[in-house]
mmCIF file of all heavy atoms in Angstrom:
data_model
loop_
_atom_site.group_PDB
_atom_site.id
_atom_site.type_symbol
_atom_site.label_atom_id
_atom_site.label_comp_id
_atom_site.label_asym_id
_atom_site.label_seq_id
_atom_site.Cartn_x
_atom_site.Cartn_y
_atom_site.Cartn_z
ATOM 1 N N ALA A 204 -45.600 0.519 -31.502
ATOM 2 C CA ALA A 204 -45.593 0.030 -30.128
ATOM 3 C C ALA A 204 -46.954 -0.502 -29.699
ATOM 4 O O ALA A 204 -47.057 -1.538 -29.017
ATOM 5 C CB ALA A 204 -45.130 1.085 -29.178
ATOM 6 N N GLU A 205 -48.028 0.164 -30.103
ATOM 7 C CA GLU A 205 -49.346 -0.234 -29.739
ATOM 8 C C GLU A 205 -49.767 -1.524 -30.488
ATOM 9 O O GLU A 205 -50.552 -2.342 -29.978
ATOM 10 C CB GLU A 205 -50.375 0.869 -30.016
ATOM 11 C CG GLU A 205 -50.203 2.086 -29.110
ATOM 12 C CD GLU A 205 -50.460 1.780 -27.680
ATOM 13 O OE1 GLU A 205 -51.320 0.918 -27.368
ATOM 14 O OE2 GLU A 205 -49.814 2.401 -26.817
ATOM 15 N N ALA A 206 -49.251 -1.711 -31.710
ATOM 16 C CA ALA A 206 -49.624 -2.883 -32.498
ATOM 17 C C ALA A 206 -48.907 -4.155 -32.014
ATOM 18 O O ALA A 206 -49.406 -5.266 -32.189
ATOM 19 C CB ALA A 206 -49.256 -2.652 -33.959
ATOM 20 N N ASN A 207 -47.724 -3.984 -31.356
ATOM 21 C CA ASN A 207 -46.969 -5.118 -30.909
ATOM 22 C C ASN A 207 -46.144 -4.737 -29.678
ATOM 23 O O ASN A 207 -45.155 -4.020 -29.797
ATOM 24 C CB ASN A 207 -46.017 -5.588 -32.041
ATOM 25 C CG ASN A 207 -45.136 -6.778 -31.649
ATOM 26 O OD1 ASN A 207 -45.312 -7.354 -30.598
ATOM 27 N ND2 ASN A 207 -44.174 -7.090 -32.460
ATOM 28 N N GLU A 208 -46.527 -5.230 -28.523
ATOM 29 C CA GLU A 208 -45.839 -4.819 -27.300
ATOM 30 C C GLU A 208 -44.419 -5.327 -27.207
ATOM 31 O O GLU A 208 -43.601 -4.844 -26.397
ATOM 32 C CB GLU A 208 -46.648 -5.300 -26.074
ATOM 33 C CG GLU A 208 -46.780 -6.811 -25.928
ATOM 34 C CD GLU A 208 -47.544 -7.214 -24.688
ATOM 35 O OE1 GLU A 208 -48.182 -6.346 -24.067
ATOM 36 O OE2 GLU A 208 -47.508 -8.419 -24.364
ATOM 37 N N ASP A 209 -44.084 -6.315 -28.041
ATOM 38 C CA ASP A 209 -42.703 -6.849 -28.058
ATOM 39 C C ASP A 209 -41.921 -6.307 -29.264
ATOM 40 O O ASP A 209 -40.989 -6.976 -29.740
ATOM 41 C CB ASP A 209 -42.733 -8.363 -28.106
ATOM 42 C CG ASP A 209 -43.289 -8.964 -26.840
ATOM 43 O OD1 ASP A 209 -43.047 -8.413 -25.752
ATOM 44 O OD2 ASP A 209 -44.015 -9.984 -26.927
ATOM 45 N N TRP A 210 -42.285 -5.128 -29.749
ATOM 46 C CA TRP A 210 -41.650 -4.569 -30.973
ATOM 47 C C TRP A 210 -40.139 -4.443 -30.853
ATOM 48 O O TRP A 210 -39.454 -4.514 -31.863
ATOM 49 C CB TRP A 210 -42.253 -3.216 -31.249
ATOM 50 C CG TRP A 210 -41.978 -2.164 -30.202
ATOM 51 C CD1 TRP A 210 -42.667 -1.900 -29.071
ATOM 52 C CD2 TRP A 210 -40.835 -1.287 -30.161
ATOM 53 N NE1 TRP A 210 -42.075 -0.908 -28.344
ATOM 54 C CE2 TRP A 210 -40.952 -0.514 -28.979
ATOM 55 C CE3 TRP A 210 -39.731 -1.097 -31.022
ATOM 56 C CZ2 TRP A 210 -39.995 0.437 -28.634
ATOM 57 C CZ3 TRP A 210 -38.793 -0.132 -30.664
ATOM 58 C CH2 TRP A 210 -38.947 0.616 -29.462
ATOM 59 N N TYR A 211 -39.622 -4.317 -29.652
ATOM 60 C CA TYR A 211 -38.212 -4.026 -29.444
ATOM 61 C C TYR A 211 -37.368 -5.294 -29.176
ATOM 62 O O TYR A 211 -36.188 -5.176 -28.902
ATOM 63 C CB TYR A 211 -38.048 -3.082 -28.237
ATOM 64 C CG TYR A 211 -38.666 -3.621 -26.968
ATOM 65 C CD1 TYR A 211 -37.875 -4.357 -26.074
ATOM 66 C CD2 TYR A 211 -40.017 -3.395 -26.642
ATOM 67 C CE1 TYR A 211 -38.446 -4.872 -24.900
ATOM 68 C CE2 TYR A 211 -40.568 -3.935 -25.492
ATOM 69 C CZ TYR A 211 -39.784 -4.637 -24.612
ATOM 70 O OH TYR A 211 -40.332 -5.150 -23.475
ATOM 71 N N ALA A 212 -37.973 -6.454 -29.283
ATOM 72 C CA ALA A 212 -37.275 -7.679 -28.870
ATOM 73 C C ALA A 212 -36.290 -8.173 -29.916
ATOM 74 O O ALA A 212 -35.352 -8.913 -29.607
ATOM 75 C CB ALA A 212 -38.287 -8.783 -28.548
ATOM 76 N N ASP A 213 -36.506 -7.833 -31.222
ATOM 77 C CA ASP A 213 -35.646 -8.354 -32.291
ATOM 78 C C ASP A 213 -35.538 -7.324 -33.397
ATOM 79 O O ASP A 213 -36.409 -6.430 -33.536
ATOM 80 C CB ASP A 213 -36.246 -9.663 -32.862
ATOM 81 C CG ASP A 213 -36.110 -10.827 -31.927
ATOM 82 O OD1 ASP A 213 -34.979 -11.320 -31.715
ATOM 83 O OD2 ASP A 213 -37.148 -11.258 -31.380
ATOM 84 N N ALA A 214 -34.537 -7.491 -34.228
ATOM 85 C CA ALA A 214 -34.442 -6.709 -35.424
ATOM 86 C C ALA A 214 -35.528 -7.158 -36.410
ATOM 87 O O ALA A 214 -36.044 -8.249 -36.315
ATOM 88 C CB ALA A 214 -33.052 -6.866 -36.115
ATOM 89 N N GLY A 215 -35.889 -6.289 -37.341
ATOM 90 C CA GLY A 215 -36.930 -6.643 -38.326
ATOM 91 C C GLY A 215 -37.872 -5.484 -38.547
ATOM 92 O O GLY A 215 -37.644 -4.367 -38.063
ATOM 93 N N GLU A 216 -38.944 -5.751 -39.225
ATOM 94 C CA GLU A 216 -39.875 -4.678 -39.643
ATOM 95 C C GLU A 216 -40.558 -3.993 -38.412
ATOM 96 O O GLU A 216 -40.993 -2.845 -38.530
ATOM 97 C CB GLU A 216 -40.926 -5.210 -40.572
ATOM 98 C CG GLU A 216 -41.827 -6.243 -40.021
ATOM 99 C CD GLU A 216 -42.862 -6.749 -40.998
ATOM 100 O OE1 GLU A 216 -42.708 -6.475 -42.220
ATOM 101 O OE2 GLU A 216 -43.841 -7.392 -40.550
ATOM 102 N N ASN A 217 -40.644 -4.713 -37.309
ATOM 103 C CA ASN A 217 -41.274 -4.100 -36.135
ATOM 104 C C ASN A 217 -40.328 -3.141 -35.388
ATOM 105 O O ASN A 217 -40.820 -2.274 -34.632
ATOM 106 C CB ASN A 217 -41.716 -5.182 -35.142
ATOM 107 C CG ASN A 217 -42.894 -5.970 -35.641
ATOM 108 O OD1 ASN A 217 -43.794 -5.418 -36.259
ATOM 109 N ND2 ASN A 217 -42.888 -7.291 -35.428
ATOM 110 N N TYR A 218 -39.027 -3.275 -35.585
ATOM 111 C CA TYR A 218 -38.113 -2.398 -34.883
ATOM 112 C C TYR A 218 -37.898 -1.140 -35.708
ATOM 113 O O TYR A 218 -37.030 -1.100 -36.625
ATOM 114 C CB TYR A 218 -36.757 -3.103 -34.626
ATOM 115 C CG TYR A 218 -36.042 -2.443 -33.470
ATOM 116 C CD1 TYR A 218 -36.109 -2.927 -32.200
ATOM 117 C CD2 TYR A 218 -35.271 -1.287 -33.692
ATOM 118 C CE1 TYR A 218 -35.472 -2.312 -31.147
ATOM 119 C CE2 TYR A 218 -34.632 -0.657 -32.677
ATOM 120 C CZ TYR A 218 -34.734 -1.180 -31.392
ATOM 121 O OH TYR A 218 -34.082 -0.526 -30.356
ATOM 122 N N VAL A 219 -38.691 -0.149 -35.389
ATOM 123 C CA VAL A 219 -38.729 1.085 -36.198
ATOM 124 C C VAL A 219 -37.976 2.182 -35.433
ATOM 125 O O VAL A 219 -38.234 2.416 -34.241
ATOM 126 C CB VAL A 219 -40.189 1.520 -36.432
ATOM 127 C CG1 VAL A 219 -40.265 2.840 -37.174
ATOM 128 C CG2 VAL A 219 -40.901 0.408 -37.245
ATOM 129 N N THR A 220 -37.071 2.855 -36.108
ATOM 130 C CA THR A 220 -36.219 3.840 -35.487
ATOM 131 C C THR A 220 -36.187 5.139 -36.282
ATOM 132 O O THR A 220 -36.655 5.170 -37.434
ATOM 133 C CB THR A 220 -34.779 3.306 -35.312
ATOM 134 O OG1 THR A 220 -34.201 3.086 -36.622
ATOM 135 C CG2 THR A 220 -34.745 2.018 -34.504
ATOM 136 N N ASN A 221 -35.635 6.194 -35.694
ATOM 137 C CA ASN A 221 -35.573 7.489 -36.373
ATOM 138 C C ASN A 221 -34.163 8.041 -36.444
ATOM 139 O O ASN A 221 -33.987 9.212 -36.837
ATOM 140 C CB ASN A 221 -36.465 8.471 -35.657
ATOM 141 C CG ASN A 221 -35.912 8.953 -34.324
ATOM 142 O OD1 ASN A 221 -35.399 8.131 -33.564
ATOM 143 N ND2 ASN A 221 -36.011 10.227 -34.023
ATOM 144 N N GLY A 222 -33.165 7.298 -36.068
ATOM 145 C CA GLY A 222 -31.803 7.785 -35.999
ATOM 146 C C GLY A 222 -31.007 7.571 -37.248
ATOM 147 O O GLY A 222 -31.523 7.158 -38.304
ATOM 148 N N PRO A 223 -29.709 7.865 -37.187
ATOM 149 C CA PRO A 223 -28.849 7.743 -38.379
ATOM 150 C C PRO A 223 -28.598 6.306 -38.833
ATOM 151 O O PRO A 223 -28.143 6.059 -39.952
ATOM 152 C CB PRO A 223 -27.545 8.405 -37.943
ATOM 153 C CG PRO A 223 -27.566 8.384 -36.449
ATOM 154 C CD PRO A 223 -28.988 8.486 -36.054
ATOM 155 N N TYR A 224 -28.893 5.322 -37.942
ATOM 156 C CA TYR A 224 -28.693 3.919 -38.295
ATOM 157 C C TYR A 224 -29.939 3.103 -37.972
ATOM 158 O O TYR A 224 -30.757 3.490 -37.121
ATOM 159 C CB TYR A 224 -27.489 3.329 -37.532
ATOM 160 C CG TYR A 224 -26.200 3.898 -38.015
ATOM 161 C CD1 TYR A 224 -25.668 5.062 -37.402
ATOM 162 C CD2 TYR A 224 -25.515 3.374 -39.079
ATOM 163 C CE1 TYR A 224 -24.484 5.638 -37.851
ATOM 164 C CE2 TYR A 224 -24.332 3.965 -39.551
ATOM 165 C CZ TYR A 224 -23.832 5.077 -38.905
ATOM 166 O OH TYR A 224 -22.659 5.652 -39.389
ATOM 167 N N LYS A 225 -30.077 1.987 -38.673
ATOM 168 C CA LYS A 225 -31.155 1.027 -38.437
ATOM 169 C C LYS A 225 -30.564 -0.230 -37.804
ATOM 170 O O LYS A 225 -29.429 -0.583 -38.075
ATOM 171 C CB LYS A 225 -31.865 0.704 -39.750
ATOM 172 C CG LYS A 225 -32.598 1.882 -40.357
ATOM 173 C CD LYS A 225 -33.383 1.496 -41.599
ATOM 174 C CE LYS A 225 -32.496 1.191 -42.786
ATOM 175 N NZ LYS A 225 -33.276 0.972 -44.035
ATOM 176 N N LEU A 226 -31.387 -0.925 -37.035
ATOM 177 C CA LEU A 226 -31.009 -2.204 -36.461
ATOM 178 C C LEU A 226 -31.291 -3.269 -37.501
ATOM 179 O O LEU A 226 -32.400 -3.806 -37.583
ATOM 180 C CB LEU A 226 -31.796 -2.460 -35.164
ATOM 181 C CG LEU A 226 -31.425 -3.706 -34.380
ATOM 182 C CD1 LEU A 226 -30.037 -3.634 -33.784
ATOM 183 C CD2 LEU A 226 -32.464 -3.931 -33.253
ATOM 184 N N SER A 227 -30.278 -3.606 -38.313
ATOM 185 C CA SER A 227 -30.483 -4.510 -39.444
ATOM 186 C C SER A 227 -30.431 -5.967 -39.058
ATOM 187 O O SER A 227 -31.111 -6.791 -39.656
ATOM 188 C CB SER A 227 -29.456 -4.218 -40.519
ATOM 189 O OG SER A 227 -29.639 -2.935 -41.088
ATOM 190 N N ASP A 228 -29.598 -6.287 -38.028
ATOM 191 C CA ASP A 228 -29.506 -7.679 -37.644
ATOM 192 C C ASP A 228 -29.136 -7.760 -36.183
ATOM 193 O O ASP A 228 -28.365 -6.947 -35.659
ATOM 194 C CB ASP A 228 -28.391 -8.367 -38.471
ATOM 195 C CG ASP A 228 -28.373 -9.872 -38.254
ATOM 196 O OD1 ASP A 228 -29.430 -10.497 -38.372
ATOM 197 O OD2 ASP A 228 -27.275 -10.423 -37.988
ATOM 198 N N TRP A 229 -29.742 -8.703 -35.455
ATOM 199 C CA TRP A 229 -29.497 -8.903 -34.031
ATOM 200 C C TRP A 229 -29.475 -10.380 -33.735
ATOM 201 O O TRP A 229 -30.550 -10.979 -33.588
ATOM 202 C CB TRP A 229 -30.525 -8.136 -33.236
ATOM 203 C CG TRP A 229 -30.323 -8.163 -31.746
ATOM 204 C CD1 TRP A 229 -29.295 -8.711 -31.060
ATOM 205 C CD2 TRP A 229 -31.197 -7.574 -30.777
ATOM 206 N NE1 TRP A 229 -29.462 -8.532 -29.731
ATOM 207 C CE2 TRP A 229 -30.618 -7.825 -29.507
ATOM 208 C CE3 TRP A 229 -32.402 -6.883 -30.842
ATOM 209 C CZ2 TRP A 229 -31.226 -7.397 -28.330
ATOM 210 C CZ3 TRP A 229 -33.004 -6.475 -29.668
ATOM 211 C CH2 TRP A 229 -32.418 -6.728 -28.420
ATOM 212 N N LYS A 230 -28.303 -10.971 -33.713
ATOM 213 C CA LYS A 230 -28.134 -12.340 -33.310
ATOM 214 C C LYS A 230 -27.880 -12.345 -31.804
ATOM 215 O O LYS A 230 -26.779 -11.976 -31.387
ATOM 216 C CB LYS A 230 -27.005 -13.014 -34.049
ATOM 217 C CG LYS A 230 -27.260 -13.176 -35.564
ATOM 218 C CD LYS A 230 -26.084 -13.923 -36.236
ATOM 219 C CE LYS A 230 -26.385 -14.192 -37.711
ATOM 220 N NZ LYS A 230 -26.480 -12.983 -38.478
ATOM 221 N N HIS A 231 -28.885 -12.665 -31.045
ATOM 222 C CA HIS A 231 -28.793 -12.537 -29.611
ATOM 223 C C HIS A 231 -27.600 -13.253 -29.008
ATOM 224 O O HIS A 231 -27.293 -14.396 -29.380
ATOM 225 C CB HIS A 231 -30.107 -13.005 -28.965
ATOM 226 C CG HIS A 231 -31.252 -12.111 -29.261
ATOM 227 N ND1 HIS A 231 -31.489 -10.934 -28.647
ATOM 228 C CD2 HIS A 231 -32.252 -12.251 -30.198
ATOM 229 C CE1 HIS A 231 -32.600 -10.366 -29.143
ATOM 230 N NE2 HIS A 231 -33.064 -11.151 -30.087
ATOM 231 N N SER A 232 -26.908 -12.547 -28.109
ATOM 232 C CA SER A 232 -25.712 -13.031 -27.450
ATOM 233 C C SER A 232 -24.561 -13.315 -28.424
ATOM 234 O O SER A 232 -23.627 -14.059 -28.104
ATOM 235 C CB SER A 232 -26.010 -14.294 -26.630
ATOM 236 O OG SER A 232 -26.980 -14.012 -25.621
ATOM 237 N N ASP A 233 -24.648 -12.734 -29.600
ATOM 238 C CA ASP A 233 -23.620 -12.982 -30.618
ATOM 239 C C ASP A 233 -23.155 -11.700 -31.315
ATOM 240 O O ASP A 233 -21.984 -11.324 -31.221
ATOM 241 C CB ASP A 233 -24.158 -13.983 -31.629
ATOM 242 C CG ASP A 233 -23.133 -14.269 -32.741
ATOM 243 O OD1 ASP A 233 -22.015 -14.605 -32.411
ATOM 244 O OD2 ASP A 233 -23.530 -14.193 -33.917
ATOM 245 N N SER A 234 -24.076 -11.009 -31.983
ATOM 246 C CA SER A 234 -23.654 -9.843 -32.749
ATOM 247 C C SER A 234 -24.848 -8.953 -33.119
ATOM 248 O O SER A 234 -26.006 -9.423 -33.109
ATOM 249 C CB SER A 234 -22.935 -10.257 -34.049
ATOM 250 O OG SER A 234 -23.831 -11.021 -34.855
ATOM 251 N N ILE A 235 -24.574 -7.711 -33.444
ATOM 252 C CA ILE A 235 -25.538 -6.732 -33.930
ATOM 253 C C ILE A 235 -24.935 -6.035 -35.101
ATOM 254 O O ILE A 235 -23.744 -5.739 -35.155
ATOM 255 C CB ILE A 235 -25.881 -5.703 -32.799
ATOM 256 C CG1 ILE A 235 -26.786 -6.331 -31.736
ATOM 257 C CG2 ILE A 235 -26.523 -4.480 -33.373
ATOM 258 C CD1 ILE A 235 -27.002 -5.451 -30.539
ATOM 259 N N VAL A 236 -25.785 -5.768 -36.092
ATOM 260 C CA VAL A 236 -25.341 -4.998 -37.265
ATOM 261 C C VAL A 236 -26.257 -3.773 -37.452
ATOM 262 O O VAL A 236 -27.464 -3.890 -37.447
ATOM 263 C CB VAL A 236 -25.385 -5.833 -38.554
ATOM 264 C CG1 VAL A 236 -24.968 -4.989 -39.789
ATOM 265 C CG2 VAL A 236 -24.458 -7.056 -38.454
ATOM 266 N N LEU A 237 -25.621 -2.615 -37.524
ATOM 267 C CA LEU A 237 -26.312 -1.385 -37.781
ATOM 268 C C LEU A 237 -25.981 -0.920 -39.188
ATOM 269 O O LEU A 237 -24.815 -0.965 -39.607
ATOM 270 C CB LEU A 237 -25.892 -0.285 -36.790
ATOM 271 C CG LEU A 237 -25.905 -0.614 -35.317
ATOM 272 C CD1 LEU A 237 -25.470 0.593 -34.502
ATOM 273 C CD2 LEU A 237 -27.244 -1.114 -34.847
ATOM 274 N N THR A 238 -26.993 -0.475 -39.941
ATOM 275 C CA THR A 238 -26.712 0.017 -41.305
ATOM 276 C C THR A 238 -27.280 1.439 -41.416
ATOM 277 O O THR A 238 -28.288 1.775 -40.769
ATOM 278 C CB THR A 238 -27.395 -0.879 -42.387
ATOM 279 O OG1 THR A 238 -28.752 -1.075 -42.116
ATOM 280 C CG2 THR A 238 -26.700 -2.231 -42.404
ATOM 281 N N LYS A 239 -26.644 2.192 -42.237
ATOM 282 C CA LYS A 239 -27.027 3.585 -42.423
ATOM 283 C C LYS A 239 -28.476 3.718 -42.832
ATOM 284 O O LYS A 239 -28.972 3.021 -43.738
ATOM 285 C CB LYS A 239 -26.095 4.219 -43.477
ATOM 286 C CG LYS A 239 -26.376 5.691 -43.777
ATOM 287 C CD LYS A 239 -25.368 6.205 -44.776
ATOM 288 C CE LYS A 239 -25.677 7.625 -45.217
ATOM 289 N NZ LYS A 239 -24.693 8.145 -46.193
ATOM 290 N N ASN A 240 -29.175 4.667 -42.205
ATOM 291 C CA ASN A 240 -30.550 4.955 -42.511
ATOM 292 C C ASN A 240 -30.592 6.063 -43.542
ATOM 293 O O ASN A 240 -30.408 7.226 -43.228
ATOM 294 C CB ASN A 240 -31.299 5.348 -41.222
ATOM 295 C CG ASN A 240 -32.749 5.718 -41.473
ATOM 296 O OD1 ASN A 240 -33.280 5.498 -42.548
ATOM 297 N ND2 ASN A 240 -33.372 6.293 -40.453
ATOM 298 N N GLU A 241 -30.847 5.693 -44.781
ATOM 299 C CA GLU A 241 -30.869 6.706 -45.863
ATOM 300 C C GLU A 241 -32.028 7.688 -45.751
ATOM 301 O O GLU A 241 -32.006 8.731 -46.407
ATOM 302 C CB GLU A 241 -30.907 6.008 -47.231
ATOM 303 C CG GLU A 241 -29.609 5.304 -47.612
ATOM 304 C CD GLU A 241 -28.450 6.248 -47.812
ATOM 305 O OE1 GLU A 241 -28.672 7.470 -48.059
ATOM 306 O OE2 GLU A 241 -27.295 5.804 -47.751
ATOM 307 N N ASP A 242 -33.016 7.383 -44.880
ATOM 308 C CA ASP A 242 -34.115 8.295 -44.679
ATOM 309 C C ASP A 242 -33.861 9.258 -43.506
ATOM 310 O O ASP A 242 -34.731 10.086 -43.190
ATOM 311 C CB ASP A 242 -35.404 7.541 -44.435
ATOM 312 C CG ASP A 242 -35.911 6.806 -45.669
ATOM 313 O OD1 ASP A 242 -35.741 7.360 -46.762
ATOM 314 O OD2 ASP A 242 -36.470 5.709 -45.561
ATOM 315 N N TYR A 243 -32.753 9.103 -42.863
ATOM 316 C CA TYR A 243 -32.379 10.020 -41.782
ATOM 317 C C TYR A 243 -32.212 11.448 -42.343
ATOM 318 O O TYR A 243 -31.649 11.635 -43.431
ATOM 319 C CB TYR A 243 -31.084 9.519 -41.116
ATOM 320 C CG TYR A 243 -30.483 10.443 -40.065
ATOM 321 C CD1 TYR A 243 -31.191 10.730 -38.877
ATOM 322 C CD2 TYR A 243 -29.211 10.958 -40.220
ATOM 323 C CE1 TYR A 243 -30.649 11.557 -37.927
ATOM 324 C CE2 TYR A 243 -28.648 11.789 -39.246
ATOM 325 C CZ TYR A 243 -29.396 12.082 -38.084
ATOM 326 O OH TYR A 243 -28.816 12.892 -37.134
ATOM 327 N N TRP A 244 -32.636 12.438 -41.568
ATOM 328 C CA TRP A 244 -32.668 13.788 -42.098
ATOM 329 C C TRP A 244 -31.309 14.349 -42.536
ATOM 330 O O TRP A 244 -31.193 15.181 -43.403
ATOM 331 C CB TRP A 244 -33.300 14.747 -41.081
ATOM 332 C CG TRP A 244 -32.487 14.958 -39.850
ATOM 333 C CD1 TRP A 244 -32.516 14.237 -38.713
ATOM 334 C CD2 TRP A 244 -31.502 15.998 -39.642
ATOM 335 N NE1 TRP A 244 -31.622 14.722 -37.775
ATOM 336 C CE2 TRP A 244 -30.986 15.813 -38.317
ATOM 337 C CE3 TRP A 244 -31.010 17.062 -40.390
ATOM 338 C CZ2 TRP A 244 -29.990 16.643 -37.780
ATOM 339 C CZ3 TRP A 244 -30.019 17.897 -39.868
ATOM 340 C CH2 TRP A 244 -29.534 17.672 -38.576
ATOM 341 N N ASN A 245 -30.228 13.833 -41.891
ATOM 342 C CA ASN A 245 -28.873 14.292 -42.220
ATOM 343 C C ASN A 245 -28.007 13.159 -42.810
ATOM 344 O O ASN A 245 -26.810 13.117 -42.579
ATOM 345 C CB ASN A 245 -28.224 14.880 -40.971
ATOM 346 C CG ASN A 245 -27.037 15.772 -41.269
ATOM 347 O OD1 ASN A 245 -26.950 16.352 -42.345
ATOM 348 N ND2 ASN A 245 -26.148 15.932 -40.312
ATOM 349 N N ALA A 246 -28.631 12.264 -43.527
ATOM 350 C CA ALA A 246 -27.944 11.072 -44.044
ATOM 351 C C ALA A 246 -26.770 11.431 -44.956
ATOM 352 O O ALA A 246 -25.759 10.690 -44.998
ATOM 353 C CB ALA A 246 -28.906 10.181 -44.788
ATOM 354 N N SER A 247 -26.842 12.530 -45.652
ATOM 355 C CA SER A 247 -25.780 12.896 -46.601
ATOM 356 C C SER A 247 -24.440 13.154 -45.898
ATOM 357 O O SER A 247 -23.391 13.073 -46.549
ATOM 358 C CB SER A 247 -26.181 14.120 -47.422
ATOM 359 O OG SER A 247 -26.379 15.226 -46.557
ATOM 360 N N ASN A 248 -24.486 13.436 -44.598
ATOM 361 C CA ASN A 248 -23.265 13.684 -43.862
ATOM 362 C C ASN A 248 -22.819 12.518 -43.012
ATOM 363 O O ASN A 248 -21.881 12.650 -42.184
ATOM 364 C CB ASN A 248 -23.427 14.942 -42.983
ATOM 365 C CG ASN A 248 -23.492 16.213 -43.781
ATOM 366 O OD1 ASN A 248 -22.717 16.402 -44.701
ATOM 367 N ND2 ASN A 248 -24.449 17.069 -43.460
ATOM 368 N N VAL A 249 -23.489 11.371 -43.153
ATOM 369 C CA VAL A 249 -23.097 10.174 -42.427
ATOM 370 C C VAL A 249 -22.140 9.333 -43.330
ATOM 371 O O VAL A 249 -22.530 8.890 -44.394
ATOM 372 C CB VAL A 249 -24.339 9.320 -42.047
ATOM 373 C CG1 VAL A 249 -23.923 8.035 -41.378
ATOM 374 C CG2 VAL A 249 -25.266 10.113 -41.120
ATOM 375 N N ASP A 250 -20.933 9.163 -42.856
ATOM 376 C CA ASP A 250 -19.895 8.526 -43.659
ATOM 377 C C ASP A 250 -19.884 6.995 -43.500
ATOM 378 O O ASP A 250 -19.775 6.276 -44.539
ATOM 379 C CB ASP A 250 -18.518 9.062 -43.276
ATOM 380 C CG ASP A 250 -17.423 8.599 -44.165
ATOM 381 O OD1 ASP A 250 -17.511 8.763 -45.387
ATOM 382 O OD2 ASP A 250 -16.390 8.067 -43.645
ATOM 383 N N VAL A 251 -20.016 6.483 -42.327
ATOM 384 C CA VAL A 251 -19.940 5.055 -42.069
ATOM 385 C C VAL A 251 -21.285 4.409 -42.454
ATOM 386 O O VAL A 251 -22.335 4.800 -41.942
ATOM 387 C CB VAL A 251 -19.613 4.767 -40.597
ATOM 388 C CG1 VAL A 251 -19.626 3.274 -40.320
ATOM 389 C CG2 VAL A 251 -18.239 5.341 -40.232
ATOM 390 N N THR A 252 -21.238 3.420 -43.322
ATOM 391 C CA THR A 252 -22.452 2.803 -43.829
ATOM 392 C C THR A 252 -22.877 1.580 -42.989
ATOM 393 O O THR A 252 -24.081 1.269 -42.951
ATOM 394 C CB THR A 252 -22.312 2.369 -45.291
ATOM 395 O OG1 THR A 252 -21.156 1.533 -45.400
ATOM 396 C CG2 THR A 252 -22.146 3.572 -46.170
ATOM 397 N N THR A 253 -21.931 0.921 -42.383
ATOM 398 C CA THR A 253 -22.233 -0.307 -41.583
ATOM 399 C C THR A 253 -21.415 -0.317 -40.319
ATOM 400 O O THR A 253 -20.191 -0.071 -40.376
ATOM 401 C CB THR A 253 -21.981 -1.570 -42.367
ATOM 402 O OG1 THR A 253 -22.695 -1.533 -43.596
ATOM 403 C CG2 THR A 253 -22.389 -2.802 -41.599
#
Side-chain angles (χ1 to χ4, degrees):
E205 293 295 328
N207 178 10
E208 63 179 12
D209 295 322
W210 65 271
Y211 58 92
D213 289 290
E216 63 179 15
N217 289 321
Y218 201 96
V219 176
T220 63
N221 72 318
Y224 292 90
K225 296 184 287 187
L226 184 67
S227 294
D228 189 50
W229 184 4
K230 293 183 175 66
H231 292 282
S232 300
D233 179 50
S234 62
I235 285 173
V236 178
L237 311 181
T238 54
K239 181 178 174 178
N240 178 10
E241 289 294 340
D242 290 325
Y243 174 62
W244 68 271
N245 199 24
S247 61
N248 288 317
V249 176
D250 187 53
V251 176
T252 55
T253 304

